[in-house]
Each structure stands twice: as structure tokens, then as C-alpha cells.
């Protein structure tokens, strides 16, 4: 069935293309741009809808149309008719399975506006790709199969779109041709969605009955739905308010992306304005340092400006030489942004591996990059019922509210006020994979009340009086590898040489400082974090600290290294094969683990990640403990 019209098409092609191409390009240059996504559950018709929009907007060349018709016959799902989804599903796997896997971006234009549409996958396992597409969108078109109604993935995508701050929602009830354009079916679906939308804070949305395949209410009004009086889809896309001036009334914010220093006579700070306006002569304050100055020039490629506002990319020069670098935020002097190091956030977990509370990840927010640790979730959100569920961690596609802390203060704004300074991603330190996206609610008040106390006797003074350089000798290896034995011999030799030392042994520390921790991955991470903090304090006292822990994860050993001064952390890998370590089994732990009586035991049912670039490697199958201790002392003191 194909859609028919009762009036002139709402959409018209641009006649200027044929009449005056130069004039067309000039007009085209000044059109506004709407970025939107199509999302929803599997087989709701997202790719077909976009294909129809591209087809009806004449954005397909003749050779593409010929290829589309040919492909539709070979791999299409519509018999001999055109399968519009093939215009978007470009991956071979997508065409074979008839699904969308990756986000596909397409451009098209009408007389009134330009568009970039992102076709987001509907399968739950590709939710992370949907978040990527939504992160830059102004609008979300949520598709619903009229035969199926509101599904779990419909709810999840709607919640994520709202969480990311998309204000404009279109509820496109698709495949109306398969329910005979029944008005009651449409109204029932809209009522169900409205009840859910109200729960998550979506106050307004535009509902449109459509058929992506037949073309009903896409670019022309359909006679099959005479009961529908609202706009057709393209009309709504062309007229929706983009809110381009929303940031103009806010205080000035410019995250510094690059310090431009082409020669000795010019030093400018480049970035895109996140909020507000700026003019030469305006007083500014650089956060977090708090340094102040005034704007001398607003420099662009096309020349200096008298004023710049939200969304413009500019370079500022100052009247004074003040410290300002990438990651800093230039603010209005009388209304600067906040800076803090502890926050409450909402996190969308996008990795196959579960979140490990306490593990340090790389956090990127705006132009800032810091180290961040996420705490155990306060709760996980059930996207069906919106219940707050207890959770110890977050898995793939889970959404939870968590507190996180950073290793230094970051400049921020609540996400509801500013997306650029309130949205962030988390990156795994070892794989460089993006594992989560999140939004900041607010900073924690306790973070604002804790300050560094100035101490007159420095760590250098502590080390000088002991006539030694502070060090952390970090012994790592499997249980039974000989870490504690070798560390004890090393301390004996250092003590005999008059060095001031202290051993932090894994078993001993668990009797006191870490007695509350078990052996789950999350507890192991917290165990190492605490040891790293204690070792840092001991090096501040000028000591040589020896730590003997399995410390199975590279990320946590790297965290401990990052706490120390440069050159003070010495990673010593006691490289003993598992079968050799198990054959020793002086504590009987391997026997218990093999019998299933000891869970989460490293080497058996919990992984050990060997160091990649340790300072010292000890092969206990090739040297004795005494020989190993002599080698370590020689290396450390030399």
C-alpha cells in the first residue's frame, strides 16, 4: 500500500538549485542545522524512515537509486518494492540480518533547513551506540511499531534521550498501514507512552502516525489518517525551535582547547564558547586557578570580532600574562564556574565488563582530562518501572546514580545547566576504551569543606635528615611466588645499611587497616588504593616503603604509581609460574581454591595481569631469594 495525499505536499524541492546555483549555495549556507536521531526497539522501522526521508528529499543520485532498486531485489525485505532501509544500513552484517548495528549519519536538506540524522541501532547490545548518536542531537524521533506498542527498548532510549538533555521528542507511531490506520490503536499507544514519559520528566512530545514504507505523514499528509490534525514529520522537523540563543543569557564560559603561540608576540587561548557572550574589555577569571585579567582581542580566521557568543569558536588574548592552559575554563570574572573534585552523577555503563567500584578511570569533561574513581552505585534505575534498585556495580547498558571523585579539581556545571561542562565519559586506563558516559548532578558539599593544610616540614626535609631518597618498592606476583620472603630479606639488607624502611605486607594489613575488605575484584581494588595512600604518606615521611601484595590488576598498580613522585615507584615483578607457585602452597590456599572452598582466588578463578614494563623482574626459578634480594638492593641504591 502506498500513501496518498489530500493536499499539496508540505515538502518541496529547492528550485534554486536549477535556476541559480550560486544563489542557492548562499541561501543554503545560512540555513539552520537540526541534528536528530531515530531510535526505538528492533524492527520499528528507523532505517526505513530515514531512507524515505532521503528519497523524498531528492538526496539520492540516479546511480544510487539504481543500486538501491537492484539491492532491494537481492537482499531487500519488501519483495520487488524499494527497501528504503538499505540506503542507511551500509554494513554487510546489517544488510544480511536486516538490523542496524552501528550509528549511521546521513545529511539532507529542504528549502527551510539542513539536517543531519543519526540512525541508531535498536538492539539492546548496541545501546552504547545509541548514546553516541544522541550526544550531539537536538531532537529524538522515537519510533514505535504500531503492532507492538511501547517496549523496553522504547523506554530505555527515551530515558537516555531525556538524560542526555534532548528537549524535543517526536513519538513516531510507525507501520500504521499494518493496523489499518486505526485511530484507537494510535491513541492507546500515545496514552501508554505519555504515562511513562511523565515518570521520567518528559513533559511534552509530538506524536505522529506514520508509515515509513508507504510514506504516510512523512512529507505529505495522508488521506488514510483523516482523524490526525497535527503536522507531518518533515513539517515538524523544519519548524521546531532549536533554542540557538539559550546559552546567550548565561554567564560566559570558554573551555580552553588549545594555547595558540605561533610566535613571541602572540599568545591566545582557543576554544568554543560553551555559554554567554564576550567582548574586548570584559573582565575574566580563569578557573580553577582564579587568575584574573581582561580580554584584549577576540581573534578568528576571518579577523577580530567586536563580540562573540555561544557556539562560536574563537581565540582570546588577555591584557595580562597569566597562567592559562588546556583544560582551564575562562569565565566571567564576577560569575565564575565552580570547581570541585567530588560529585553525584548518573552513569550509563557501556562496557561488557562490569564497573569496578574504586577502580580509577580516565574522565574527560569538556577539554579537561583527570583521573576518577567511581564508588558503589547508590542505586540502579529499572527503565521499565523507574524503580531505584540496590546494586553493587553496573553492567552493560545499566543506568545508575553514583558518586565519583577526581584526583584534582575540575571545572563543571550541572548537566541541566550546561552540557559541555556537565557531561563526561569514562575511559579504561589499560585499553583506552570508552566504558561509560555520565552527567553531573552537583558537587558534594563535603568536597568544598576539605582543604589542604600547609605543613612547614616538607617531605624533602624528612628525606634529608634520613640521608636517603624515599622509595616505594612494590612487590607483585602470584600467591606463593615468594614476594613476602624476598621483601623481608630486602628490608633486612637495607636496615643493615642504615636505611629507614617499613614493610606493608598483604596479610598483615588485612588484620587491621583492611580487615573490612573481602577478595572480590572491587574489594581488591579498594585494598590497593588504601595501601597506595598509606605508602604515599610514608614516603612523605622520608621512608623506603616495601609493599608485598598480589595486586593483580595493572590499573591499580598504575594508580599507586601515579600517587608517588616521579622515579620513586619501583615495580618488582616476582615472576613465578602458576604451577610452581601452586606446588609450594605453604598456606594451603591453592588446595582450597581448587576444591571450590576459596572463591575469587588469583590464578584460579580470578585473573592476574602481569606487569608490562616493571623496573625489576625476578625469576624465582632461576635465582634464590637471597640472590634476588641482593639484586634488588643493588638496583635500588644505585
Amino acid at each position: 500500500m502506498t500513501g496518498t495525499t489530500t493536499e499539496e505536499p508540505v515538502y518541496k524541492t529547492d528550485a534554486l538549485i536549477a535556476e541559480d546555483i550560486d544563489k542557492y549555495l548562499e541561501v543554503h549556507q545560512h540555513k539552520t542545522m537540526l541534528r536528530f536521531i531515530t531510535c526505538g526497539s528492533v524492527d520499528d522501522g528507523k532505517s526505513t524512515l530515514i531512507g524515505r526521508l532521503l528519497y523524498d528529499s531528492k538526496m539520492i543520485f540516479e546511480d544510487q537509486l539504481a543500486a538501491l532498486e537492484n539491492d532491494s531485489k537481492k537482499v531487500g525485505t519488501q519483495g520487488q518494492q524499494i527497501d528504503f532501509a538499505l540506503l542507511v544500513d551500509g554494513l554487510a552484517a546489517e544488510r544480511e540480518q536486516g538490523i542496524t548495528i552501528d550509528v549511521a549519519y546521513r545529511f539532507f536538506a529542504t528549502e527551510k533547513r539542513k539536517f543531519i540524522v543519526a540512525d541508531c541501532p535498536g538492539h539492546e547490545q548496541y545501546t552504547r551506540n545509541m548514546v553516541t548518536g544522541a550526544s550531539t542531537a537536538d531532537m529524538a524521533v522515537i519510533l514505535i511499531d504500531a503492532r507492538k506498542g511501547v517496549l523496553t527498548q522504547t523506554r530505555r532510549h527515551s530515558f537516555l534521550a531525556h538524560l542526555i538533555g534532548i528537549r524535543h521528542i517526536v513519538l513516531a507511531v510507525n507501520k500504521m498501514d499494518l493496523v489499518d490506520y486505526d485511530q484507537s490503536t494510535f491513541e492507546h499507544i500515545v496514552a501508554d507512552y505519555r504515562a511513562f514519559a511523565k515518570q521520567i520528566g518528559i513533559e511534552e512530545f509530538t506524536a505522529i502516525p506514520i508509515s515509513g514504507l508507504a510514506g504516510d505523514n512523512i512529507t505529505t499528509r495522508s488521506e488514510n489518517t483523516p482523524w490526525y490534525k497535527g503536522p507531518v514529520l518533515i513539517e515538524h522537523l523544519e519548524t521546531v525551535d532549536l533554542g540557538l540563543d539559550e546559552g546567550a543569557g548565561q554567564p560566559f564560559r570558554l573551555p580552553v582547547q588549545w594555547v595558540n603561540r605561533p610566535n613571541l608576540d602572540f599568545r591566545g587561548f582557543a576554544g568554543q564558547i560553551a555559554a554567554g557572550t564576550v567582548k574586548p574589555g570584559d573582565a575574566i577569571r580563569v578557573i580553577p586557578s582564579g587568575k584574573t585579567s581582561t580580554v584584549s582581542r577576540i581573534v578568528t580566521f576571518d579577523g577580530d570580532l567586536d563580540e562573540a557568543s555561544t557556539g562560536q569558536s574563537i581565540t582570546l588574548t588577555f591584557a595580562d600574562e597569566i597562567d592559562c592552559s588546556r583544560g582551564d575554563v575562562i569565565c566571567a570574572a564576577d560569575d565564575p564556574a565552580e570547581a570541585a573534585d567530588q560529585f553525584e552523577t548518573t552513569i550509563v555503563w557501556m562496557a561488557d565488563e562490569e564497573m569496578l567500584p574504586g577502580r580509577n578511570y580516565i574522565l574527560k569533561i569538556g577539554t579537561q582530562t583527570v583521573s576518577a574513581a567511581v564508588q558503589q552505585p547508590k542505586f540502579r534505575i529499572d527503565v521499565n518501572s523507574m524503580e531505584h534498585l540496590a546494586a553493587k556495580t553496573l553492567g552493560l547498558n545499566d543506568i545508575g546514580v553514583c558518586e565519583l571523585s577526581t584526583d584534582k579539581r575540575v571545572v563543571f556545571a550541572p548537566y541541566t545547566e550546561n552540557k559541555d561542562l556537565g557531561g563526561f565519559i569514562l575511559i579504561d586506563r589499560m585499553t583506552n576504551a570508552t566504558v561509560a558516559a555520565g552527567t553531573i548532578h552537583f558537587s558534594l558539599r563535603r568536597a568544598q569543606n576539605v582543604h589542604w593544610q600547609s605543613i612547614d616540614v616538607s617531605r624533602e626535609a624528612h628525606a634529608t635528615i634520613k640521608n636517603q631518597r624515599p622509595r616505594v618498592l612494590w612487590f607483585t606476583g602470584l600467591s606463593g611466588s615468594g614476594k613476602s620472603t624476598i621483601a623481608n630479606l630486602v628490608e633486612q639488607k637495607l636496615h643493615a645499611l642504615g636505611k629507614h624502611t617499613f614493610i606493608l605486607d598483604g596479610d598483615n594489613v588485612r588484620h587491621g587497616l583492611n580487615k573490612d575488605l573481602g577478595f572480590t575484584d572491587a574489594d581488591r581494588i579498594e585494598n590497593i588504593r588504601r595501601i597506595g595512600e598509606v605508602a604515599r604518606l610514608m614516603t612523605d615521611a622520608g621512608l623506603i616503603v616495601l609493599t608485598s601484595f598480589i595486586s593483580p590488576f595493572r590499573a591499580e598498580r598504575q594508580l599507586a604509581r601515579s600517587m608517588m613522585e616521579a622515579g620513586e615507584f619501583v615495580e618488582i615483578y616476582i615472576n613465578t609460574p602458576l604451577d610452581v607457585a601452586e606446588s609450594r602452597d605453604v598456606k594451603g590456599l591453592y588446595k582450597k581454591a581448587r576444591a571450590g572452598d576459596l572463591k575469587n582466588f588469583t590464578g584460579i578463578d580470578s585473573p592476574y595481569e602481569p606487569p608490562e614494563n616493571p623496573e625489576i623482574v625476578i625469576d624465582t626459578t632461576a635465582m634464590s631469594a637471597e640472590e634476588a634480594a641482593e639484586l634488588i638492593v643493588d638496583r635500588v641504591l644505585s
Side-chain angles (χ1 to χ4, degrees):
M1 179 183 292
T2 58
T4 57
T5 62
T6 58
E7 55 185 75
E8 287 296 315
V10 174
Y11 168 77
K12 298 179 181 179
T13 57
D14 204 319
L16 269 179
I17 297 178
E19 297 174 2
D20 188 340
I21 188 64
D22 292 330
K23 181 66 175 176
Y24 167 77
L25 292 174
E26 182 182 349
V27 172
H28 188 73
Q29 184 179 1
H30 294 93
K31 290 178 183 177
T32 58
M33 171 76 77
L34 172 68
R35 295 174 179 268
F36 70 98
I37 60 169
T38 58
C39 51
S41 194
V42 181
D43 292 330
D44 280 346
K46 297 177 292 297
S47 299
T48 299
L49 172 61
I50 296 176
R52 168 64 74 172
L53 283 171
L54 295 173
Y55 181 81
D56 287 349
S57 60
K58 307 298 185 289
M59 294 299 292
I60 307 173
F61 295 110
E62 290 185 7
D63 59 335
Q64 291 177 308
L65 180 59
L68 174 64
E69 293 172 343
N70 185 51
D71 289 345
S72 296
K73 295 176 182 178
K74 290 182 178 179
V75 295
T77 60
Q78 305 302 323
Q80 296 301 304
Q81 298 182 22
I82 292 177
D83 186 350
F84 294 106
L86 296 180
L87 282 170
V88 184
D89 291 338
L91 298 176
E94 293 177 324
R95 293 186 170 213
E96 290 168 1
Q97 301 177 61
I99 64 172
T100 299
I101 296 174
D102 201 0
V103 180
Y105 294 91
R106 293 293 184 269
F107 171 86
F108 68 99
T110 68
E111 285 185 338
K112 297 180 180 179
R113 182 171 277 174
K114 296 178 288 188
F115 304 92
I116 293 179
V117 55
D119 181 25
C120 297
H123 282 68
E124 182 177 350
Q125 72 188 91
Y126 302 121
T127 298
R128 71 190 88 176
N129 296 357
M130 177 268 170
V131 175
T132 301
S135 63
T136 58
D138 306 302
M139 172 188 283
V141 179
I142 309 287
L143 275 90
I144 292 181
D145 188 326
R147 301 168 301 169
K148 301 176 182 178
V150 179
L151 302 176
T152 297
Q153 197 69 337
T154 313
R155 296 185 178 94
R156 178 178 284 108
H157 282 185
S158 298
F159 182 82
L160 289 171
H162 179 65
L163 174 67
I164 288 171
I166 296 177
R167 297 187 302 109
H168 302 293
I169 304 291
V170 172
L171 184 69
V173 182
N174 194 23
K175 304 187 182 181
M176 288 297 297
D177 53 315
L178 299 183
V179 295
D180 296 325
Y181 301 97
D182 181 54
Q183 181 179 359
S184 62
T185 299
F186 173 75
E187 291 175 348
H188 178 71
I189 290 172
V190 173
D192 281 352
Y193 186 82
R194 180 173 286 111
F196 167 74
K198 190 173 182 179
Q199 282 184 291
I200 64 175
I202 298 176
E203 299 295 336
E204 295 182 2
F205 61 89
T206 300
I208 305 175
I210 67 169
S211 171
L213 183 63
D216 296 281
N217 294 326
I218 305 297
T219 59
T220 57
R221 192 170 302 281
S222 173
E223 66 179 14
N224 293 312
T225 56
W227 41 266
Y228 174 68
K229 305 302 181 183
V232 300
L233 181 59
I234 197 69
E235 179 184 359
H236 185 66
L237 295 177
E238 286 182 329
T239 58
V240 68
D241 180 18
L242 297 183
L244 297 177
D245 58 349
E246 283 185 354
Q250 298 179 11
F252 176 65
R253 305 284 187 265
L254 175 70
V256 178
Q257 184 174 359
W258 176 48
V259 178
N260 186 356
R261 193 71 187 271
N263 54 60
L264 295 176
D265 299 320
F266 185 90
R267 185 166 182 257
F269 307 97
Q272 185 179 60
I273 301 176
T277 59
V278 64
K279 299 186 295 294
D282 283 355
I284 59 91
R285 187 184 303 270
V286 177
I287 303 297
S289 70
K291 300 292 184 182
T292 60
S293 185
T294 57
V295 176
S296 294
R297 298 170 57 194
I298 303 174
V299 183
T300 71
F301 180 79
D302 297 318
D304 286 13
L305 302 178
D306 295 327
E307 183 177 275
S309 58
T310 305
Q312 287 185 271
S313 295
I314 60 172
T315 296
L316 294 182
T317 64
F318 299 154
D320 307 287
E321 287 288 340
I322 62 173
D323 183 27
C324 182
S325 58
R326 175 179 169 84
D328 291 341
V329 178
I330 303 170
C331 306
D334 58 353
D335 196 355
E338 294 183 76
D341 59 7
Q342 294 184 46
F343 308 93
E344 182 185 271
T345 67
T346 294
I347 288 178
V348 183
W349 194 254
M350 302 192 296
D352 293 322
E353 301 78 18
E354 288 185 341
M355 180 185 82
L356 288 176
R359 167 163 286 184
N360 266 58
Y361 299 95
I362 297 170
L363 181 145
K364 292 181 72 70
I365 175 171
T367 59
Q368 304 165 91
T369 301
V370 296
S371 180
V374 186
Q375 304 309 312
Q376 180 175 313
K378 288 185 173 181
F379 54 84
R380 179 176 62 82
I381 300 170
D382 185 318
V383 295
N384 284 309
S385 64
M386 301 312 298
E387 285 185 278
H388 294 176
L389 307 175
K392 292 185 177 181
T393 184
L394 297 177
L396 178 64
N397 298 328
D398 280 347
I399 304 166
V401 171
C402 309
E403 292 182 358
L404 64 78
S405 57
T406 57
D407 64 341
K408 61 181 181 180
R409 292 195 306 158
V410 297
V411 185
F412 79 99
Y415 189 79
T416 53
E417 296 179 9
N418 191 298
K419 291 184 180 181
D420 294 316
L421 296 177
F424 63 87
I425 60 172
L426 295 177
I427 301 170
D428 185 272
R429 284 182 170 276
M430 305 310 299
T431 65
N432 284 325
T434 299
V435 295
T439 60
I440 291 177
H441 301 171
F442 49 79
S443 65
L444 302 180
R445 186 169 299 277
R446 62 175 178 265
Q448 301 169 7
N449 297 330
V450 179
H451 306 278
W452 281 103
Q453 176 63 44
S454 177
I455 298 175
D456 292 332
V457 181
S458 67
R459 69 194 317 271
E460 290 77 14
H462 285 296
T464 299
I465 201 171
K466 295 178 176 63
N467 194 30
Q468 63 184 33
R469 183 184 181 188
R471 290 289 184 91
V472 173
L473 309 185
W474 193 279
F475 292 79
T476 178
L478 293 170
S479 177
S481 62
K483 299 183 301 298
S484 296
T485 300
I486 296 171
N488 190 48
L489 287 171
V490 170
E491 187 182 34
Q492 290 179 31
K493 294 179 181 297
L494 291 173
H495 183 73
L497 294 170
K499 302 300 180 183
H500 299 257
T501 62
F502 194 87
I503 285 185
L504 292 170
D505 183 78
D507 287 344
N508 293 348
V509 170
R510 282 188 176 273
H511 285 292
L513 177 65
N514 292 343
K515 67 187 300 182
D516 60 319
L517 299 177
F519 291 90
T520 64
D521 286 352
D523 282 347
R524 288 179 183 275
I525 290 169
E526 176 60 14
N527 182 53
I528 297 306
R529 187 195 69 80
R530 293 183 190 180
I531 296 307
E533 294 286 358
V534 172
R536 165 71 191 200
L537 292 174
M538 287 185 166
T539 58
D540 284 347
L543 297 176
I544 297 175
V545 186
L546 299 86
T547 70
S548 176
F549 294 83
I550 295 174
S551 51
F553 303 122
R554 296 190 190 103
E556 279 57 64
R557 297 195 298 268
Q558 180 59 37
L559 170 62
R561 181 187 293 272
S562 69
M563 294 179 185
M564 310 305 164
E565 299 293 325
E568 291 185 1
F569 187 90
V570 181
E571 188 173 28
I572 303 171
Y573 176 31
I574 308 302
N575 184 10
T576 301
L578 176 61
D579 59 336
V580 175
E582 189 170 0
S583 68
R584 297 170 181 171
D585 203 17
V586 293
K587 302 173 184 177
L589 300 179
Y590 282 99
K591 184 177 180 181
K592 290 182 180 179
R594 292 291 187 189
D597 298 328
L598 187 59
K599 299 296 183 184
N600 302 309
F601 189 74
T602 303
I604 305 300
D605 58 352
S606 186
Y608 178 78
E609 300 172 354
E612 294 180 328
N613 296 293
E615 279 74 15
I616 300 175
V617 178
I618 300 297
D619 182 356
T620 59
T621 63
M623 66 175 67
S624 66
E626 181 71 26
E627 291 170 333
E630 286 284 356
L631 184 150
I632 293 168
V633 170
D634 182 63
R635 291 273 193 91
V636 170
L637 296 185
S638 64

